[in-house]
Amino acid sequence: MKRCTIACDTPGGIQVCELALPDDATLDDALSAARLVLGEHSTDWNQASTGIYGRVYPRQHCWIDGDRIEIYRPLQVDPRASRRARAGRGRG
């Protein structure tokens, strides 16, 4: 068995749970188990991007013991567009 922490970024804040899964478990396996713990409406379980410690990985990735698996929400605003808008307001 290996252990992981699942962190889910929701509109209401970060939700976290800890799981113990078989050694051959993938990100997809961990997400399926976390869905039962955190609830169906916590995130878009089928479409959300996933990663480990801020680095995006495919759902078939086999994580290692102690990893923090993260489920990401889509950005509401493009950071580059926001930065350009702020810079444009500063000129003038």
Side-chain angles (χ1 to χ4, degrees):
M1 294 292 267
K2 58 184 179 180
R3 296 186 160 288
C4 70
T5 301
I6 304 284
C8 179
D9 188 5
T10 69
I14 304 291
Q15 292 185 339
V16 177
C17 72
E18 294 195 15
L19 302 171
L21 296 168
D23 289 334
D24 62 346
T26 63
L27 285 176
D28 200 40
D29 297 329
L31 295 179
S32 294
R35 188 179 202 165
L36 297 173
V37 175
L38 297 176
E40 187 70 30
H41 302 290
S42 297
T43 189
D44 182 357
W45 294 101
N46 297 320
Q47 301 298 320
S49 295
T50 59
I52 299 172
Y53 296 115
R55 186 170 177 194
V56 177
Y57 285 95
R59 291 178 180 236
Q60 298 78 22
H61 178 75
C62 192
W63 48 277
I64 60 172
D65 187 48
D67 274 349
R68 175 186 164 101
I69 298 169
E70 301 161 339
I71 306 165
Y72 308 117
R73 284 189 296 149
L75 294 175
Q76 299 298 315
V77 176
D78 178 14
R80 285 182 273 173
S82 177
R83 196 172 317 117
R84 284 186 198 116
R86 284 193 313 271
R89 286 192 303 263
R91 297 180 195 149

